[in-house]
Amino acid sequence: MSRTTMATNAVGRGILRGDKGTIISLTLEIKPSYNPAIDPSDFGEGADNNGLIYQIQFG
């Protein structure tokens, strides 16, 4: 018998690059959605190459 457990969250990392040279490094905590009608939600922080800190949220 095979047993499968659905994910409860994940950590994601990425980079956003602006068209004027800004680069924001991101760290996100991703909470999956088990309902196809609802998108997953993500939140975390980012820091750009000028020292500014951002709070990031997708949903």
Side-chain angles (χ1 to χ4, degrees):
M1 174 194 237
S2 150
R3 184 174 213 195
T4 303
T5 303
M6 298 184 91
T8 57
N9 64 12
V11 175
R13 296 181 190 269
I15 296 173
L16 297 176
R17 293 177 186 249
D19 61 353
K20 296 180 181 174
T22 299
I23 299 172
I24 302 174
S25 298
L26 301 172
T27 300
L28 299 170
E29 182 175 333
I30 303 164
K31 297 197 179 241
S33 171
Y34 301 112
N35 180 343
I38 301 172
D39 292 329
S41 62
D42 311 325
F43 62 92
E45 292 185 350
D48 72 15
N49 54 330
N50 296 311
L52 296 174
I53 304 293
Y54 301 87
Q55 290 181 337
I56 311 292
Q57 182 175 352
F58 296 96

